[in-house]
Amino acid sequence: MKTQTISWRVDEYPVDALIQEGPATFRVSGRAYSDQRIFELEQERIFQKTWNFVAHESEVAKPGDFKTAHIGTQPVIVTRGQDMALSVLLNRCVHRGAVVCRERSGNTRAFVCPYHAWTYATDGRLTGITGRDDPNGYGPDFVQPQGMQRVARVENYRGFIFACMDPGVVPLEQYLAGGAAQLLERKLQQSPVGKIRLTGRPFVGTYEGNWKFQAENIVDGYHFMYTHKAFVNLQQKYGDSTGDFGVHKGDNAAKMRLLRARGNVLGSRFGHGINQKPAAEFEQLFEGPHSEYYNQLSEKYGRDELEWIAGVGAACIFPNFGLIHNQLRVWRPIGPAMTEVTVYPYALEGVSDEYNAGMLRSHERFYGPAGYGAVDDIEVFALNQQGLSATQNDWLILERGMHNEKPLENGEIEGLPSSETVHRAFWRSWRDLMTAQGRAVQ
């Protein structure tokens, strides 16, 4: 079903009026999800001004490796040069504007435009113009472009590659500092050698809803028992026997609800949201078939920290990147009511094939194209977008857990597991960027 796009003039309705915030109030107008002009402003003021995840280093490990990605609506190519340097290029020929690279990933010595065969090196330099010196070609006064536009900033944090079009953006390490960096570290620490690798081709899908629904949902601790009720019933009946591999622990709905009430959420001033829980049935891990693996990690990090490393952690790295269980997730805004989501399962380096296979089976069971979880979420996102057409009462309520929040010394806010602390952090950052025309700054 197609959803309605509501239009209004931004100069007549200030963007900051889309959020109502008070001591016990936090509400967001549905227009923030549905308006075309707001969507266009997000591309300018959010996606071009903040760090966007574009690749994992395992995807571009060798000279000549490349993958295509997006920064908001803008297509880019992530490349590894012959000197092993990383570049992120706007995927647009400087001649007539065609997309130069049409493959999702691969290895090449050069990029050749499909329109007139202008050729570029893997670092974006223009190295060949067909018919350059022909009588009908280009004259002596022709000013030859240098090559494809390079994205201003590219940084690699522990294998996670981010890019930003604004050269003045805050350093990536500072952008991720706090709960986001801790979550990334804990995901890597599940590997005895501190590394992951992406495996196989990603799962790519679209839904008829705004990109912010996915950003909010990946760290939403409130919806699981209700949106995924059919899966809860399946888990209660079959448990690990269908390949859960301990990811969604709980012998029954009551126990699952109790386990999901453990842990906390963290909201960052840069808009990141973290939802983390310690491992369920932790002591049993040292008696099971992978006890050697857990003992190895325990010796390295200690029992207290391992309980969190082996637990369940999810993150929304503002604005386009998520991690949950053994997957990376990237969402791409296509329009106010259309979003593409790419899911990358990953394997841990230094663990047994059996362990990685178990994690992959669990991923397929809940998150894969035929799994139980993704279809539930996509349906809800579409229902959310459809509901926005009812505008007489236009405010979405994001006030859960406000009374139990705790400000931390590092500027983050901590909430209880199903609190909407993470959502409020997202929207505060959204508001700051959209109203100040600024960037992610100190």
Side-chain angles (χ1 to χ4, degrees):
M1 180 182 294
K2 297 296 182 183
T3 54
Q4 179 182 0
T5 297
I6 305 166
S7 295
W8 52 282
R9 290 181 60 184
V10 173
D11 58 350
E12 295 179 354
Y13 197 106
V15 175
D16 56 3
L18 296 174
I19 297 177
Q20 296 179 352
E21 182 173 12
T25 304
F26 200 101
R27 304 194 176 192
V28 177
S29 170
R31 292 187 174 99
Y33 299 86
S34 59
D35 182 77
Q36 178 65 36
R37 179 56 180 154
I38 285 294
F39 179 82
E40 292 167 1
L41 285 174
E42 287 175 337
Q43 307 312 309
E44 300 171 13
R45 300 182 182 180
I46 292 178
F47 286 94
Q48 292 188 35
K49 299 290 185 179
T50 57
W51 288 105
N52 288 248
F53 176 81
V54 291
H56 185 262
E57 64 180 7
S58 63
E59 297 179 275
V60 285
K62 302 185 299 297
D65 281 355
F66 70 87
K67 71 163 287 191
T68 50
H70 286 81
I71 295 178
T73 56
Q74 301 204 38
V76 298
I77 313 171
V78 185
T79 75
R80 179 79 72 175
Q82 297 302 314
D83 59 356
M84 293 299 289
L86 280 169
S87 299
V88 179
L89 314 169
L90 292 185
N91 192 0
R92 169 177 169 156
C93 183
V94 297
H95 177 213
R96 298 278 287 277
V99 164
V100 175
C101 182
R102 294 171 290 175
E103 301 296 326
R104 177 169 291 276
S105 62
N107 185 278
T108 188
R109 290 185 174 276
F111 298 109
V112 181
C113 177
Y115 198 0
H116 299 95
W118 284 32
T119 303
Y120 302 87
T122 53
D123 62 2
R125 288 177 296 111
L126 179 59
T127 57
I129 298 177
T130 51
R132 172 70 172 85
D133 300 320
D134 289 351
N136 291 326
Y138 299 89
D141 296 329
F142 173 66
V143 179
Q144 180 171 314
Q146 292 184 343
M148 285 189 284
Q149 180 70 42
R150 298 170 68 93
V151 173
R153 294 280 296 277
V154 181
E155 293 189 20
N156 183 338
Y157 184 88
R158 298 296 308 276
F160 300 95
I161 301 168
F162 290 78
C164 182
M165 295 184 174
D166 187 341
V169 70
V170 67
L172 180 60
E173 186 172 350
Q174 183 177 342
Y175 187 66
L176 298 175
Q182 182 185 61
L183 192 282
L184 287 169
E185 292 292 336
R186 284 173 170 168
K187 290 290 186 182
L188 294 173
Q189 287 165 353
Q190 292 176 354
S191 159
V193 296
K195 291 184 178 182
I196 65 171
R197 69 177 185 278
L198 272 54
T199 58
R201 294 181 65 85
F203 162 46
V204 183
T206 59
Y207 66 84
E208 292 187 356
N210 192 267
W211 66 273
K212 295 184 288 294
F213 287 132
Q214 171 64 98
E216 294 170 331
N217 187 74
I218 196 170
V219 286
D220 185 284
Y222 187 24
H223 77 286
F224 186 91
M225 299 297 296
Y226 313 104
T227 302
H228 304 301
K229 186 176 180 180
F231 176 79
V232 171
N233 293 336
L234 179 83
Q235 175 70 15
Q236 180 171 309
K237 185 172 182 179
Y238 296 106
D240 263 6
S241 65
T242 57
D244 185 65
F245 207 66
V247 170
H248 297 98
K249 278 289 188 184
D251 300 330
N252 54 58
K255 185 175 180 180
M256 187 177 287
R257 186 175 288 107
L258 184 64
L259 291 173
R260 299 188 71 83
R262 303 166 73 225
N264 64 8
V265 295
L266 297 171
S268 161
R269 67 187 182 91
F270 288 118
H272 316 316
I274 307 301
N275 189 325
Q276 52 189 353
K277 307 179 191 307
E281 302 176 359
F282 179 61
E283 294 301 326
Q284 295 182 21
L285 299 178
F286 299 94
E287 302 170 2
H290 305 289
S291 58
E292 183 179 350
Y293 160 68
Y294 288 109
N295 278 303
Q296 183 182 5
L297 294 184
S298 179
E299 291 177 8
K300 190 170 185 178
Y301 300 111
R303 287 276 182 126
D304 290 344
E305 180 61 15
L306 178 58
E307 192 169 2
W308 289 97
I309 293 171
V312 177
C316 168
I317 308 298
F318 189 94
N320 78 321
F321 180 45
L323 300 94
I324 187 167
H325 298 304
N326 64 319
Q327 67 172 260
L328 311 182
R329 192 180 301 182
V330 181
W331 42 92
R332 174 169 74 95
I334 298 174
M338 184 63 68
T339 304
E340 178 187 87
V341 180
T342 303
V343 176
Y344 300 86
Y346 66 76
L348 300 174
E349 297 280 11
V351 305
S352 68
D353 291 343
E354 179 188 3
Y355 189 91
N356 277 326
M359 291 298 292
L360 183 58
R361 296 292 85 77
S362 173
H363 164 84
E364 291 171 339
R365 182 196 197 202
F366 191 77
Y367 297 103
Y372 278 80
V375 291
D376 292 338
D377 290 331
I378 287 172
E379 179 184 19
V380 167
F381 299 160
L383 293 174
N384 287 350
Q385 199 74 30
Q386 292 168 27
L388 297 180
S389 297
T391 59
Q392 291 301 303
N393 183 4
D394 194 43
W395 296 99
L396 285 69
I397 303 171
L398 295 173
E399 296 165 6
R400 186 173 176 83
M402 286 187 75
H403 61 295
N404 283 323
E405 290 182 333
K406 181 173 68 174
L408 304 180
E409 291 183 1
N410 66 358
E412 293 183 323
I413 300 175
E414 182 180 15
L416 296 177
S418 67
S419 168
E420 288 164 342
T421 299
V422 287
H423 306 72
R424 292 186 285 274
F426 178 97
W427 280 104
R428 290 186 186 110
S429 184
W430 183 92
R431 178 183 58 199
D432 291 346
L433 287 162
M434 289 287 283
T435 56
Q437 301 183 48
R439 60 171 72 99
V441 294
Q442 299 183 22

